[in-house]
Amino acid sequence: MNKPEITSQLANIVGEEYVSDDLADLIPYERDDQFPFVPPHRPDYVVRPRTIEEIQKILRLANDHKIPVVPFASGINRKGLCIASKGGILLDMRRMTRIEIDEEMMIATIEPGVNFAQLVVALNDYPHLRCLTPDAPATASVLANYMLRGIYATSTRYGIDHLLTMKIILPNGEILDTGSAATPNTIGPYCNIVNGPDLTKLFQANVGTMGVAVEGRIRLYPMPEKIRFLLISFPSFESMLEPAKQYTIQNLVAGVWIWTFTEDALKTIMQLKSATPEWFALGLFLEGTSTEVHDQEDQVLAIAAEAKGEVLKIPPDFENEFVLDHRYMRGDVRGWRKGNLYGCSCYGTFKNLVAYYKAGKKLCEKYGFEGYHFEALPVSPFHGQLTYIDPCILWDGGDPAQVTKIRAFHQELRAALLDIGIYGFFRPFPGVVNSQELGMYGEIWRKIKQLIDPNNIMNPGKPPLD
Ligand SMILES: Cc1cc2nc3c(=O)[nH]c(=O)nc-3n(C[C@H](O)[C@H](O)[C@H](O)COP(=O)(O)OP(=O)(O)OC[C@H]3O[C@@H](n4cnc5c(N)ncnc54)[C@H](O)[C@@H]3O)c2cc1C
């Protein structure tokens, strides 16, 4: 079938209004912030389905004609994950915005087009419930973020796994319900306890390479009565680590951000001034009843004082902004007022934090990048000292010399982090995750991919078959 015939078949499925092969419609999807690592590439068609049946038909058509399909929930990932590296159909699911809240089960069922703003608004009718939100723009897809296991200001207490079960359309158009939906006479598709392995996990941290998730059931949590944000500065990177560890182990905070900023990064990202060239601070989120928060604060301050921590007086507006971000969604994207943001985010161990921090700093100096900042967040459950690590720099994507430099910087930083030892990378994008380096795990991952998607139509060019 030629291109106009495919366009016409797609129009038969979703309606003419929701298909395009027009250049003007395709160009916005062809590149993102990660262009030095995932080169821009234009899809051949943009399709905007509304129903599960439409997605089944699209995948059958694509599978029959071996046309690549790239799922797109909100395209905010910034890691090249929605770039149609081999062309094909860009499946933009932003019309799929159904939300059902089951108050008794403390679960929401959502479609992939539901973003954090929409879910938060829907939850306004249930003031005692909340969803956990990332530091991402409010337009980010909840399902895509949870599938990729996002990182949240509350992850020190609540972890990163808030997705229970999913409805997946496989590349051949078949429907797979993961979790308890498969149990005969099931009481509901709400639970990931099932008779065998938890297949939800098989589709998590896979970047649209196994099928299309058309529905997910996510955990909702009680809304705390009070949230308090504290910023405590310390004399050095090392001096804030023991307090951060104690806050985590003693469960004194919902989140403890370990931050270092250069003067430049502090000004750009936090809109704060520093008297020193490098600034070390813990950003703490305390939550609970008013009494609990009061008690937590006393204990937090006593531990900080022992390490020469100094509580920073922050304007009430600033605290409110942080609390709002944390409780609901990010209203403003700090850090994006200057050029591009690069981060080699990964999971590692708390005890190696100094080594990760220094490795990033040394390379930043070697390559002459300004605005190094390092973020880390202990993650629940803390066994194995699970910690999110993010060495970041601000750079200028408009300068070709910096594009070349950032590629070399990335390779060296990736190697340095692997040398120190990490658990895994945060976002599995090409250039970071290489399944060939993963031994038998990588081999089985590729075999499962081949079993589910023998024609490799789902987001080709991304791990495990990049
Ligand atoms: C400034 C900024 C700050 C951010 N901070 C954070 C943060 O602190 N914590 C955090 O967790 N996130 C953060 N993010 C957002 C985060 O990167 C995205 O939410 C996440 O990567 C998912 O992106 P998305 O929702 O737009 O999904 P997309 O970009 O649309 O998709 C991501 C991947 O999932 C696949 N996919 C999408 N939908 C489906 C589906 N239905 N079925 C199968 N595959 C699918 C896509 O093909 C793609 O490979 C931030 C983003 C920005 C821009």
Side-chain angles (χ1 to χ4, degrees):
M1 245 193 276
N2 59 29
K3 199 169 169 186
E5 284 168 340
I6 299 281
T7 308
S8 150
Q9 292 272 332
L10 290 167
N12 285 343
I13 297 171
V14 291
E16 253 176 50
E17 203 184 329
Y18 299 113
V19 179
S20 179
D21 55 11
D22 192 292
L23 195 61
D25 293 323
L26 302 177
I27 284 175
Y29 295 94
E30 75 182 20
R31 84 186 238 146
D32 74 6
D33 193 46
Q34 206 66 13
F35 66 90
F37 310 106
V38 182
H41 201 285
R42 199 169 297 157
D44 298 302
Y45 321 86
V46 174
V47 185
R48 300 171 60 223
R50 175 67 203 91
T51 66
I52 291 176
E53 293 71 30
E54 287 171 4
I55 294 189
Q56 286 182 283
K57 287 180 188 163
I58 294 165
L59 290 195
R60 284 193 191 116
L61 176 74
N63 212 16
D64 286 350
H65 298 280
K66 300 191 172 47
I67 303 168
V69 176
V70 179
F72 176 109
S74 56
I76 291 177
N77 68 79
R78 311 176 26 237
K79 298 288 186 192
L81 301 176
C82 290
I83 302 303
S85 301
K86 314 275 180 199
I89 298 170
L90 196 299
L91 197 67
D92 183 333
M93 292 175 282
R94 281 178 289 186
R95 291 177 63 224
M96 301 181 73
T97 55
R98 187 171 54 85
I99 302 175
E100 280 166 26
I101 292 168
D102 191 324
E103 196 178 0
E104 190 187 2
M105 296 287 191
M106 292 177 71
I107 276 167
T109 301
I110 50 170
E111 289 188 328
V114 173
N115 63 38
F116 282 98
Q118 290 162 338
L119 184 56
V120 166
V121 168
L123 283 168
N124 282 345
D125 291 338
Y126 306 86
H128 56 285
L129 285 179
R130 67 166 168 175
C131 61
L132 299 186
T133 55
D135 256 7
T139 47
S141 155
V142 182
L143 186 53
N145 183 271
Y146 284 9
M147 278 171 71
L148 290 178
R149 289 188 304 242
I151 196 81
Y152 316 98
T154 45
S155 291
T156 308
R157 182 171 288 159
Y158 297 104
I160 51 175
D161 207 352
H162 311 297
L163 184 59
L164 284 164
T165 69
M166 280 189 280
K167 189 186 282 296
I168 307 277
I169 311 299
L170 298 172
N172 63 6
E174 296 290 330
I175 296 180
L176 168 71
D177 272 297
T178 70
S180 54
T183 307
N185 302 319
T186 182
I187 49 170
Y190 295 128
C191 194
N192 52 0
I193 300 296
V194 70
N195 304 301
D198 177 3
L199 289 189
T200 308
K201 298 270 181 258
L202 190 59
F203 294 88
Q204 266 182 292
N206 265 304
V207 292
T209 50
M210 297 279 197
V212 179
V214 289
E215 212 174 74
R217 282 154 212 105
I218 61 160
R219 294 185 164 106
L220 301 174
Y221 295 85
M223 178 69 87
E225 182 188 317
K226 189 170 168 65
I227 299 177
R228 175 105 168 85
F229 175 68
L230 286 177
L231 199 55
I232 307 183
S233 77
F234 289 83
S236 64
F237 185 79
E238 288 81 354
S239 62
M240 58 184 173
L241 297 184
E242 188 54 27
K245 197 167 159 188
Q246 289 310 319
Y247 300 154
T248 304
I249 292 170
Q250 295 183 35
N251 193 19
L252 286 176
V253 295
V256 48
W257 281 104
I258 299 161
W259 281 323
T260 92
F261 292 97
T262 58
E263 265 178 291
D264 188 41
L266 187 69
K267 201 167 56 193
T268 317
I269 294 166
M270 303 285 248
Q271 292 96 58
L272 290 177
K273 280 196 186 130
S274 167
T276 48
E278 202 172 358
W279 187 80
F280 308 98
L282 297 181
L284 304 170
F285 291 93
L286 282 58
E287 358 171 289
T289 61
S290 297
T291 321
E292 281 165 352
V293 170
H294 186 268
D295 291 349
Q296 286 164 14
E297 189 169 340
D298 286 348
Q299 294 180 62
V300 160
L301 296 184
I303 291 171
E306 274 179 37
K308 299 195 169 37
E310 190 189 328
V311 181
L312 297 179
K313 281 212 173 72
I314 43 179
D317 278 359
F318 195 88
E319 182 183 348
N320 287 344
E321 193 187 331
F322 262 88
V323 168
L324 273 178
D325 280 357
H326 163 54
R327 195 163 174 175
Y328 301 110
M329 73 210 69
R330 194 162 193 159
D332 143 47
V333 182
R334 287 179 289 271
W336 288 65
R337 290 177 178 79
K338 179 185 171 188
N340 301 49
L341 179 70
Y342 163 88
C344 198
S345 333
C346 60
Y347 289 105
T349 64
F350 193 92
K351 65 180 179 178
N352 278 330
L353 275 178
V354 174
Y356 302 131
Y357 157 67
K358 285 191 173 160
K361 190 172 173 188
K362 192 169 146 202
L363 285 171
C364 191
E365 282 161 7
K366 173 176 168 186
Y367 281 87
F369 283 117
E370 288 174 1
Y372 177 59
H373 62 283
F374 180 91
E375 305 190 353
L377 183 86
V379 170
S380 170
F382 192 55
H383 309 280
Q385 294 197 336
L386 183 62
T387 307
Y388 170 76
I389 318 283
D390 201 5
C392 304
I393 53 169
L394 300 168
W395 66 288
D396 181 359
D399 174 357
Q402 288 210 20
V403 176
T404 308
K405 221 161 64 161
I406 195 90
R407 288 197 183 110
F409 175 85
H410 165 72
Q411 284 310 330
E412 279 206 56
L413 182 56
R414 180 184 184 274
L417 292 170
L418 285 170
D419 233 26
I420 298 163
I422 61 166
Y423 287 130
F425 289 101
F426 179 56
R427 295 285 189 242
F429 67 89
V432 159
V433 171
N434 177 356
S435 74
Q436 300 292 343
E437 291 174 352
L438 301 177
M440 183 51 75
Y441 176 91
E443 198 175 320
I444 290 186
W445 188 12
R446 291 192 296 278
K447 280 188 176 149
I448 293 172
K449 157 79 177 163
Q450 276 149 7
L451 180 73
I452 292 178
D453 182 17
N455 292 324
N456 191 21
I457 62 161
M458 294 307 307
N459 210 355
K462 309 295 183 310
L465 296 184
D466 44 324

